[in-house]
Amino acid sequence: ISIPVFKISASQCGKIMSGADGKSVKQRLEELRIEIADREAKVAEMKPTLKSYAKAVEMFKRRQSEYLELLPRENEPNLSKTCITYLRKWADEKIYKRRVEFTSKQTDKGNLVEDVSIDYASIHLEWGLVSKNLERFHNEWAHGEPDLVLENEVPDIKSSYTHETFPLYSPELENKDYEWQDLVYQWLTGIQKGSIVFVLTSMPDEMIRKEARFSKQLPEGFSEAEYEEFAAQFRYDELPPYLRIKQYDVEYREEKIEAIKARVNECRKYIETVLLPEVEKNFKKFNKA
């Protein structure tokens, strides 16, 4: 099986940087070493005629068996379930050469209003005349395509689905995955200043009509007047900028960049030592000749 060397996409960096769940294999092995030594010493002191002797020997052998089973995985990276799930999906796409795109009404709106959101933010944040970036940047560990690459800043635009998902009252960025994403953009472009900019843009009419068709808020066979009243809750053009733009600065931190490099290397090791060997075993099973 030949697949590319793993690099993390900026938009997915938060998945691999999530904290590990529980103890590493190395930590569990160390616990078992201590427990096995203690059980061995206790068994040596016990008389074989005691009723508890057989049970003590059984538990000693069980822990030995667990230790020997784990030993080949001693240096396996300790990654979170979120990270492992993402790595399996990444490997699937490379092995099968097929990609399943995630879609939702939230991402659909984001794609449809992206240019409108960029224009609105650029006017009110005084970025001047800007256009969407179309260049994908790469380095040894990561790749990504920022929304915008300004002279001294890399802002990332997030179009809120409705006013209910717009973070008007949040003093700090709640979704840390967005912070990792913009940090990677800064790293890739060499521009050590960035931000996450939420923009509340009116929903396109085709999406509002879809909402109207599937919503139970309107009666069957609704009139155009009823539709317009319904649609008004998804339109925000008359509102002032302070109700439609929320910007969070993302600080460039070299220690976080080093942490990303280290985690990418751990991910590569997991792919090479855990995922691909499973594929290889299956390959050998069906290609014995």
Side-chain angles (χ1 to χ4, degrees):
I1 297 296
S2 177
I3 64 173
V5 174
F6 175 75
K7 292 184 181 183
I8 188 60
S9 167
S11 63
Q12 304 301 312
C13 189
K15 288 186 172 64
I16 70 165
M17 297 308 295
S18 59
D21 306 307
K23 298 170 183 174
S24 67
V25 174
K26 189 182 285 290
Q27 288 171 320
R28 179 57 182 152
L29 281 168
E30 184 57 33
E31 288 180 351
L32 283 170
R33 286 189 189 103
I34 295 169
E35 184 180 349
I36 288 168
D38 287 344
R39 288 187 180 277
E40 187 176 23
K42 287 178 181 178
V43 167
E45 294 172 358
M46 294 176 72
K47 293 181 180 180
T49 54
L50 291 173
K51 290 183 179 180
S52 57
Y53 180 80
K55 188 174 181 180
V57 170
E58 181 188 353
M59 287 301 297
F60 169 70
K61 289 181 177 178
R62 188 180 297 176
R63 292 294 179 261
Q64 273 191 323
S65 178
E66 184 181 347
Y67 177 84
L68 293 172
E69 187 177 337
L70 281 176
L71 191 58
R73 298 170 50 201
E74 183 172 13
N75 296 314
E76 184 178 300
N78 189 28
L79 304 174
S80 71
K81 291 178 182 177
T82 300
C83 178
I84 290 171
T85 298
Y86 171 72
L87 293 179
R88 288 179 173 179
K89 181 177 182 294
W90 180 90
D92 277 349
E93 290 178 354
K94 305 309 176 187
I95 292 168
Y96 288 104
K97 295 180 173 57
R98 286 162 175 79
R99 186 175 181 181
V100 178
E101 294 286 351
F102 170 79
T103 59
S104 68
K105 60 184 183 180
Q106 288 79 11
T107 57
D108 286 345
K109 183 193 174 184
N111 292 331
L112 287 169
V113 304
E114 185 173 43
D115 290 340
V116 177
S117 294
I118 288 173
D119 289 345
Y120 188 77
S122 68
I123 291 169
H124 295 285
L125 295 175
E126 299 181 346
W127 291 336
L129 185 63
V130 300
S131 58
K132 179 173 169 54
N133 167 66
L134 299 176
E135 181 182 356
R136 179 162 287 272
F137 296 82
H138 298 260
N139 65 20
E140 186 180 343
W141 297 273
H143 61 93
E145 189 175 309
D147 291 332
L148 295 168
V149 181
L150 308 183
E151 186 177 351
N152 60 353
E153 184 180 352
V154 190
D156 193 46
I157 303 292
K158 305 295 181 187
S159 298
S160 297
Y161 188 66
T162 68
H163 60 283
E164 293 179 309
T165 60
F166 182 75
L168 182 62
Y169 309 109
S170 302
E172 296 181 358
L173 182 64
E174 293 180 352
N175 189 332
K176 296 305 178 183
D177 285 2
Y178 293 158
E179 186 176 320
W180 285 112
Q181 181 178 6
D182 195 76
L183 186 62
V184 173
Y185 289 150
Q186 294 179 51
W187 178 27
L188 291 168
T189 60
I191 301 171
Q192 297 185 3
K193 181 183 178 184
S195 62
I196 304 299
V197 182
F198 289 88
V199 182
L200 185 57
T201 307
S202 292
M203 188 179 291
D205 192 60
E206 62 265 33
M207 287 195 72
I208 299 177
R209 289 195 177 275
K210 188 180 290 186
E211 285 277 347
R213 284 197 301 272
F214 293 102
S215 170
K216 295 181 180 179
Q217 296 181 47
L218 288 176
E220 190 173 345
F222 54 84
S223 67
E224 192 62 24
E226 288 172 322
Y227 168 74
E228 285 300 322
E229 184 179 352
F230 171 82
Q233 65 184 307
F234 301 104
R235 294 171 178 160
Y236 307 100
D237 292 346
E238 83 284 2
L239 298 176
Y242 73 88
L243 295 178
R244 297 181 59 194
I245 298 176
K246 186 86 171 186
Q247 184 177 30
Y248 299 93
D249 292 333
V250 177
E251 180 186 2
Y252 183 87
R253 293 175 58 182
E254 194 61 44
E255 65 269 25
K256 286 193 171 184
I257 298 301
E258 292 302 317
I260 295 171
K261 292 179 183 178
R263 185 58 59 85
V264 169
N265 287 333
E266 289 177 333
C267 290
R268 289 172 176 171
K269 186 174 182 180
Y270 183 83
I271 291 166
E272 293 168 5
T273 61
V274 179
L275 298 186
L276 292 184
E278 281 300 314
V279 181
E280 185 69 18
K281 281 197 296 187
N282 216 38
F283 171 80
K284 289 177 179 178
K285 179 179 179 179
F286 290 97
N287 292 271
K288 294 178 181 178

